[in-house]
Amino acid sequence: MSKDKVIIIGAGLCGLYTAYLLQQKGFEVLVLEANDRIGGRIKTVTASTGVTVEMGATWFGNQHHNLLTLVHEFNIPYFRQHTQGISLFETMSFVPPQKFEISEAEEPSFRIEGGTKVLIEQLISKVGIEHIKTQTKVTSIKEQGNQLVVTDTNGNSYFADKVISTVPPNLGINTITFEPNLPDNLVQVAQKTHTWMGESIKFAVAYTTPFWREQNYSGTLFSQASIIQEMYDHTSFDHNGFALKGFLNAGTSVLSKEERQQKVITQLTTFFGPEAAHYVSYNEKVWREESLTFHPYDQLVLAHQNNGHMVFQKPLLNGKLYLSGSETALQHPGYMDGAVAAAKTISSQF
Ligand SMILES: Cc1cc2nc3c(=O)[nH]c(=O)nc-3n(C[C@H](O)[C@H](O)[C@H](O)COP(=O)(O)OP(=O)(O)OC[C@H]3O[C@@H](n4cnc5c(N)ncnc54)[C@H](O)[C@@H]3O)c2cc1C
């Protein structure tokens, strides 16, 4: 008997890993991705100095067993986030920041050597690029007899025995139509399911030297008063590329890129001195503007709200449709670990 034909919507970490696991079981899999880029919320870019900077997912820890198992299985090397030296905490703009040191005993966080994109590249090569169709935005999923018909914005239709959507639930429920309608309670929960980091602004400033390390600063900075809210040293694992990278105040999404850039450099110069003004490049990503990740909520939704909710654990449309993706995971939902966990949970049901 031939195995089910499976369509996976979304070529982020969850979609790609689900495809890999199902292929291992002998299923015929097609991944449909709306973007011209593969990776979803994993987005590593190379700045002009050659240093790779993360505009999306970056860190993981020893608690992230699902991700660590995958990283070890694929022999992907990783290294510890640099935190040694003086870190800064700014409570108010009119008083100098407090200085503190992060204990060596603190639970470490890790980064993948060469950038998080290495994980995506490995998955693409294992799944096979011929099984991933980019620039294919799914708009509807309809039940037709024992099958599901998936339609995209190009007017193409795809038939599958099973469909797994890895689109963040709030985005999926608002941008894909389902026939017959999905249960009301599921729709309501999905609309109140937070998409992790969907509102965030990531930035990175590349330098030719790690001048902050030379002044015994760690590069770690937390601020309640300025545009940069959280920042870390982003030196590459081989010490060939240097950058500072972190998150900006999400409210500054109303500013232009140039305005944000200028405020960032002013803040860095205030804290680390004039050398901070001699940067090579500035990169940023306003995730709120990424319509393939973020969809506005029609009410207040708190961070991680409804992540891992029980409504996502059961298949729909007579067992043919699965809602997956990191936000549906029972372990570390919202994080890369959750994306891997969700892939394992769904594929184990096949
Ligand atoms: C700024 C930022 C920082 C982060 N930092 C960390 C971190 O340090 N550590 C960590 O563990 N996690 C972090 N995360 C979270 C992590 O990126 C996610 O948990 C993980 O990448 C989610 O993978 P996913 O496959 O479930 O979803 P996604 O990566 O969102 O993939 C969904 C895919 O579906 C596609 N898509 C959307 N709509 C359609 C459609 N209609 N048709 C077809 N395709 C569609 C999208 O283009 C996307 O490729 C961060 C996220 C962001 C944005």
Side-chain angles (χ1 to χ4, degrees):
M1 205 180 84
S2 72
K3 291 230 184 185
D4 284 346
K5 187 176 169 198
V6 185
I7 285 182
I8 296 168
I9 307 174
L13 178 56
C14 184
L16 293 174
Y17 190 50
T18 309
Y20 169 74
L21 291 175
L22 291 180
Q23 284 177 337
Q24 303 281 80
K25 290 187 164 190
F27 287 91
E28 191 194 327
V29 174
L30 176 64
V31 185
L32 302 180
E33 167 57 53
N35 215 331
D36 55 4
R37 179 181 71 77
I38 296 173
R41 277 174 279 169
I42 293 175
K43 184 171 194 256
T44 311
V45 301
T46 306
S48 53
T49 54
V51 65
T52 52
V53 291
E54 304 299 345
M55 293 291 106
T58 310
W59 299 280
F60 52 97
N62 285 322
Q63 70 278 27
H64 293 145
H65 299 292
N66 298 290
L67 182 70
L68 279 172
T69 305
L70 172 60
V71 162
H72 290 151
E73 183 193 335
F74 286 3
N75 285 318
I76 297 175
Y78 57 90
F79 65 112
R80 191 178 172 145
Q81 169 66 45
H82 174 87
T83 52
Q84 289 105 315
I86 300 163
S87 298
L88 301 173
F89 178 44
E90 184 187 36
T91 51
M92 285 173 279
S93 59
F94 49 86
V95 288
Q98 296 168 23
K99 296 182 173 178
F100 67 101
E101 289 204 35
I102 295 169
S103 161
E104 278 295 294
E106 187 115 314
E107 190 59 34
S109 59
F110 305 108
R111 291 164 51 199
I112 289 176
E113 291 188 12
T116 321
K117 67 169 183 184
V118 171
L119 189 52
I120 295 296
E121 287 166 355
Q122 287 246 12
L123 280 166
I124 294 171
S125 78
K126 288 193 195 315
V127 169
I129 193 74
E130 66 279 13
H131 300 293
I132 306 165
K133 201 161 183 274
T134 55
Q135 299 182 73
T136 304
K137 185 175 182 187
V138 170
T139 49
S140 76
I141 301 171
K142 279 186 199 167
E143 190 171 31
Q144 206 171 89
N146 288 332
Q147 288 206 305
L148 293 177
V149 190
V150 175
T151 315
D152 69 15
T153 45
N154 306 319
N156 297 316
S157 296
Y158 308 83
F159 291 81
D161 301 296
K162 301 259 165 79
V163 172
I164 303 166
S165 169
T166 68
V167 176
N170 177 51
L171 176 69
I173 221 73
N174 280 293
T175 55
I176 301 174
T177 57
F178 299 88
E179 207 179 300
N181 289 334
L182 298 183
D184 280 350
N185 70 325
L186 179 133
V187 172
Q188 280 160 23
V189 171
Q191 284 173 337
K192 285 186 266 176
T193 298
H194 185 253
T195 304
W196 183 232
M197 290 285 164
E199 301 95 334
S200 70
I201 308 176
K202 255 298 178 68
F203 81 99
V205 187
Y207 293 94
T208 51
T209 60
F211 65 89
W212 57 94
R213 287 195 188 195
E214 287 150 18
Q215 298 169 23
N216 196 29
Y217 284 116
S218 64
T220 305
L221 159 69
F222 301 104
S223 172
Q224 299 180 153
S226 306
I227 184 165
I228 302 171
Q229 289 196 320
E230 193 180 332
M231 185 182 80
Y232 303 91
D233 177 293
H234 207 58
T235 299
S236 57
F237 75 98
D238 55 7
H239 289 249
N240 272 334
F242 309 101
L244 291 167
K245 190 213 68 167
F247 299 90
L248 301 184
N249 181 320
T252 64
S253 64
V254 298
L255 301 179
S256 68
K257 181 184 175 188
E258 290 68 32
E259 286 169 323
R260 281 189 295 269
Q261 178 171 343
Q262 193 239 316
K263 284 182 187 295
V264 165
I265 302 304
T266 302
Q267 188 180 351
L268 292 178
T269 312
T270 306
F271 288 168
F272 299 121
E275 276 181 278
H278 300 130
Y279 63 102
V280 183
S281 64
Y282 171 86
N283 287 81
E284 66 165 33
K285 170 94 181 148
V286 181
W287 283 91
R288 177 181 283 278
E289 292 170 359
E290 176 53 80
S291 65
L292 296 173
T293 299
F294 180 75
H295 190 280
Y297 308 101
D298 52 16
Q299 57 205 297
L300 175 69
V301 171
L302 299 173
H304 293 300
Q305 187 170 325
N306 286 325
N307 281 194
H309 197 283
M310 288 317 290
V311 292
F312 302 123
Q313 313 308 322
K314 283 194 304 257
L316 303 149
L317 301 185
N318 296 309
K320 295 192 282 294
L321 172 69
Y322 296 77
L323 295 191
S324 183
S326 181
E327 276 67 24
T328 70
L330 294 172
Q331 291 149 7
H332 301 119
Y335 297 91
M336 291 188 281
D337 192 67
V340 175
K344 281 161 72 173
T345 303
I346 302 279
S347 61
S348 70
Q349 296 171 47
F350 280 63

